[in-house]
Amino acid sequence: MYNLLKGKKGIIFGALDSKSIAWKVAERAHEEGATFVLTNAPVALRLGTISELADKTGSQVIPADATSMMDLENLIDKSTEILGGKIDFVLHSIGMSVNVRRGNHYTNQDYNFTKTGWDVSALSFHRLMSMLYKKDAMNEWGSVVALTYMAAQRVFPDYNDMADNKAYLESVARSFGYFFGRDKKVRVNTISQSPTPTTAGSGVKGFDGFIAYAEEMSPLGNATALECADYTISLFSDLTKKVTLQNLFHDGGFSNMGVSNAIMDNFMESFDHEGAVAEETKTKKEK
Ligand SMILES: NC(=O)c1ccc[n+]([C@@H]2O[C@H](COP(=O)([O-])OP(=O)(O)OC[C@H]3O[C@@H](n4cnc5c(N)ncnc54)[C@H](O)[C@@H]3O)[C@@H](O)[C@H]2O)c1
């Protein structure tokens, strides 16, 4: 490995199990020489396997519901105490839609669920940065990264209200990133990741078909959770000091594609097949 994060201190949100993107980021950050605190919602700590990751990376776990300012304050205070100083990097890897979980169609939402999903998935990023900013908890040239998805820009019908949450999240990254950069020399970016088979990802309706589609659309294929972790490490490192206010696509090229040969071949195959069936039916009727 490259010692890219040697001596750096961080907070990593969102490692639920070994499939989580945050889990891979924690493993890679550890390999690159960082020390960090792991955090997740109290309920996730009970359901998941985070203590395994904590043992493996020599980290402590501090519970925090990302929608609670009190929890965030406690997390930041304790983290700076445990790590022995200010923070160099923070990963926000949090997403949840109650409407998706309950199977509500986008056109027929329960708005209380919408508010909860927005608070957890999007406003939490503002809350987190606001607490870090007010407490002056970040070192200069520190880096904050949140994970997002391209449904913030384009229509993916089954991504539901998470599309709106991601659009808000990306906007917060730019708006807060301005003040964090100007006042504290901290950079803020979002990584727009390929569909990835994790607990949150697999909750989206039709995920299996969609991940296969994205694979065939992308010249480099889908980016894995581990590859996302590698990219995140580069954004935490000193090699990307002037990258800020960006939404960075990490998707094997998917976001700039119109159509690929592989997708067209599949489409034409079924098109030809349907055409042949229609022709046969017509011939039978004529006889
Ligand atoms: N999996 C994908 O296809 C994909 C693609 C692009 C972006 N993302 C984004 O990546 C991020 C991580 O998701 P993942 O795919 O690793 O799935 P995951 O389910 O492993 O992680 C989601 C995490 O959010 C945490 N969380 C939920 N409510 C919380 C709360 N109130 N407070 C604190 N934490 C809370 C969960 O406990 C969990 O650890 C999310 O922002 C997700 O939207 C995922």
Side-chain angles (χ1 to χ4, degrees), residues 96-104 112-114 116-117 161:
M96 195 273 302
S97 159
V98 195
N99 282 306
V100 167
R101 282 198 182 170
R102 301 288 174 92
N104 291 340
N112 285 322
F113 293 169
T114 310
T116 303
D161 55 343

Side-chain angles (χ1 to χ4, degrees), residues 13-17 19-22 39-41 44 64-67 92-96 101 120 147-149 159 162 166 169 191-202 207:
F13 284 76
L16 179 68
D17 55 34
K19 284 188 272 169
S20 301
I21 297 168
T39 181
N40 211 323
D65 176 344
T67 65
H92 177 288
S93 185
I94 300 171
M96 195 273 302
R101 282 198 182 170
V120 170
L147 289 171
T148 187
Y149 183 56
Y159 204 65
M162 278 304 288
K166 291 304 192 192
L169 177 91
I191 295 178
S192 188
Q193 163 68 6
S194 290
T196 315
T198 61
T199 303
S202 313
F207 184 79

Side-chain angles (χ1 to χ4, degrees), residues 52-99:
E52 215 179 280
L53 180 66
D55 289 346
K56 197 173 167 186
T57 58
S59 314
Q60 291 198 37
V61 180
I62 300 177
D65 176 344
T67 65
S68 155
M69 294 308 275
M70 220 172 68
D71 283 10
L72 290 172
E73 180 163 26
N74 175 58
L75 168 71
I76 292 166
D77 287 347
K78 288 213 171 121
S79 299
T80 46
E81 204 180 295
I82 292 167
L83 298 168
K86 289 194 191 184
I87 309 294
D88 300 293
F89 65 88
V90 178
L91 177 70
H92 177 288
S93 185
I94 300 171
M96 195 273 302
S97 159
V98 195
N99 282 306

Side-chain angles (χ1 to χ4, degrees), residues 129-176:
M129 286 198 283
S130 151
M131 195 52 82
L132 290 164
Y133 180 92
K134 282 186 211 151
K135 291 196 153 279
D136 198 21
M138 297 286 296
N139 276 321
E140 280 197 356
W141 305 110
S143 172
V144 181
V145 170
L147 289 171
T148 187
Y149 183 56
M150 208 183 65
Q153 288 81 31
R154 311 238 172 122
V155 177
F156 292 85
D158 292 328
Y159 204 65
N160 214 310
D161 55 343
M162 278 304 288
D164 306 327
N165 294 337
K166 291 304 192 192
Y168 190 96
L169 177 91
E170 291 176 19
S171 178
V172 164
R174 286 185 293 271
S175 303
F176 215 111

